[in-house]
Amino acid sequence: MRRYSPQYYSPPRRSYGGGGGGGGGGRGRSPPRRRKEQNNGSLLVRNIPLDCRAEELRAPFERYGEVRDVYIPKDYYTGEPRGFAFIQFVDSYEAAEAQYHMNGKIFAGREISVVVAAETRKRPEEMRQRTRVREPSDHGGRRSSYYGRSRSRSRSPRYPSGSRSRYRSRSYSPAPRRRGDSISPSRRRRDNPRSPRDLPPVRDGDRRPYSPGYDNVAGPNENGDGYDKKPMREDKDGRDHWRSPDRASRSPSGSRSRSAELSPARSR
DNA sequence: GTTGAGCGTT
């Protein structure tokens, strides 16, 4: 057992919670009574131009602290920006500072509202329910209580296949490296002849609904078999039938006969 | 290492 003195961490409270100019304060989500830390330092920036980039947002915010990440959520299906962004600071205190200073500032000709974000991102499952539009029952009663999000049903609300490549259609700005930003050539593939920026991130092919950390998703498992379960086949041999711990590649470089190729036989 | 489909979009 380790004895630890309960050190009360009292963060300097700023006046962002109360009267945040109408838009700032009323989050309506978590009760303001909670003295919980702001959060991880995530700010929600509202009313940003739709064509705003993450880096553009990042610049003014970085003045108040180290910005860890800037993320501009986009519509899942349409892929269009929704008009707000998240700025995640490394330090929540700096985030508060930035929030205080940037709230109501004019950014790109618009008055942005900066508030403290609620918690963290959402999981695709939750997003699905939120994004999905319930089909109105035929027997009267159309219930579209979601903004105008009822997009055409031309596209089946099927699973997005979760084929969002991490290195593609990402609207967040990666942390700028202090030292020479030398991006791997394979990563900066900008020569996409199509440049389907407008295309929705939905794609066919790999239908992997993105298994999050939550492993208790006993839902569509009607098969009882579990697709994620690895079919452990027991071979008669039961021995290395696909991987030899000793005979496989031992070289960290991958090439095993590397020395033979690189090393010129020095005969002299 | 995170993840990106994040709450406040007309």
Side-chain angles (χ1 to χ4, degrees), chain A residues 150-165:
Chain A
S150 6
R151 18 185 308 91
S152 297
R153 306 193 72 66
S154 36
R155 190 183 289 275
S156 286
R158 211 178 237 189
Y159 290 138
S161 342
S163 113
R164 47 185 198 289
S165 300

Side-chain angles (χ1 to χ4, degrees), chain A residues 107-200:
Chain A
F107 176 80
R110 296 170 77 126
E111 186 176 331
I112 60 174
S113 303
V114 183
V115 299
V116 179
E119 274 293 326
T120 30
R121 65 218 292 127
K122 251 179 202 174
R123 269 157 324 267
E125 274 136 48
E126 241 185 289
M127 270 263 63
R128 234 180 262 142
Q129 288 196 352
R130 181 175 290 275
T131 313
R132 185 179 61 176
V133 177
R134 188 78 172 159
E135 190 150 331
S137 295
D138 286 319
H139 45 84
R142 100 172 32 159
R143 137 189 348 179
S144 78
S145 39
Y146 225 89
Y147 305 148
R149 212 172 243 231
S150 6
R151 18 185 308 91
S152 297
R153 306 193 72 66
S154 36
R155 190 183 289 275
S156 286
R158 211 178 237 189
Y159 290 138
S161 342
S163 113
R164 47 185 198 289
S165 300
R166 300 211 280 257
Y167 310 111
R168 255 223 196 145
S169 77
R170 70 178 176 189
S171 41
Y172 70 97
S173 81
R177 298 222 164 151
R178 252 52 177 179
R179 43 181 156 196
D181 51 348
S182 55
I183 306 174
S184 286
S186 51
R187 194 155 182 174
R188 61 185 299 182
R189 38 174 62 198
R190 269 260 179 231
D191 319 44
N192 207 348
R194 293 206 171 168
S195 181
R197 188 170 159 269
D198 299 335
L199 287 178

